[in-house]
Amino acid sequence: VTRVDERKPENRIESYPYWRLDVWSADHLPKGRIERIYTHWSAREYESVFPAYHYCIAMRPGGEILVVETNDVRANMRDVRVAGGAPYAAHTFGRNSFAIGISIMAMSHATPEDFGPHPLTVPLVDALCRVGAGLARHYGIAIDPDHVMSHAEAALHDGYFGSAPEERWDIARLRPHRAPLEPYEAVETGDMLRAAMREHAR
Ligand SMILES: [Zn+2]
């Protein structure tokens, strides 16, 4: 049976270099000025990838996790606010200079109460932390709240945290529940993700 992939080329895993999670490493990446890592989810399905991020954590229907390099890290090794520059990965509003964006492909149609048809999974979150740890080590980035943060934490700092369409809450909650989304969840979940990254970095 041939599965027809109707995605646009920019959203197909096969359009980019990709690895099985267990064989991916940051060793091949060019050295340069990268100071921060931002973590995301895509709010789309498990297999649709996006060049707005440098690394997409995707999942095949059988559960195999892939690390997809959808943008060149060198594109963000500069002040991207300088006009006339080349394209770059625009992952986190106002924070893309000298910064890497990594994202779990999941959470299409998700709300804080109901994570929808493509919810976060424990293996996907663990994969994100493993990739984040590898990148932090490669670029000498401290895994602390100043240098490694979720989009939700960035949104909290910059005044657009929340689950409305123009707001962001990735990655503030790891499982759905009915309590209203609160800012402290972004910080608590950010701390959990950083702790997991520090474990992987040991
Ligand atoms: Zn995001």
Side-chain angles (χ1 to χ4, degrees), residues 16-17 19 24-38 51-56 67-80 86-91 96-102 131 134-136 138-141:
Y16 306 97
W19 296 261
W24 178 83
S25 112
D27 294 349
H28 70 283
L29 286 170
K31 291 287 187 180
R33 185 174 161 197
I34 291 291
E35 299 172 344
R36 286 185 171 77
I37 298 171
Y38 292 95
Y53 313 107
H54 295 99
Y55 278 105
C56 292
V67 183
V68 188
E69 194 176 281
T70 44
N71 215 314
D72 189 319
V73 173
R74 285 172 292 195
N76 291 55
M77 286 179 182
R78 63 184 180 87
D79 186 345
V80 301
Y88 59 92
H91 47 85
N96 294 305
S97 305
F98 309 107
I100 286 182
I102 62 177
V131 169
L135 293 168
H138 189 73
Y139 288 107
I141 298 168

Side-chain angles (χ1 to χ4, degrees), residues 38-42 53 91-92 102-103 150-152 160 168-171:
Y38 292 95
T39 61
H40 301 258
W41 65 55
S42 61
Y53 313 107
H91 47 85
T92 312
I102 62 177
S103 184
S150 70
H151 199 179
Y160 63 100
R168 292 294 179 269
W169 61 291
D170 56 317
I171 299 173

Side-chain angles (χ1 to χ4, degrees), residues 39-41 104 107 115 120 125 128-129 143 145 148-153 156 161 169-177 181-198:
T39 61
H40 301 258
W41 65 55
I104 298 171
M107 300 290 272
F115 278 13
L120 290 182
V125 173
L128 179 86
C129 293
I143 303 175
V148 177
M149 74 176 83
S150 70
H151 199 179
E153 290 176 292
L156 211 52
F161 173 77
W169 61 291
D170 56 317
I171 299 173
R173 194 173 270 198
L174 296 178
R175 49 192 80 70
H177 56 86
L181 184 68
E182 298 281 357
Y184 78 87
E185 294 179 68
V187 179
E188 279 191 0
T189 303
D191 284 341
M192 287 175 57
L193 296 176
R194 283 183 288 273
M197 285 186 206
R198 282 194 291 270

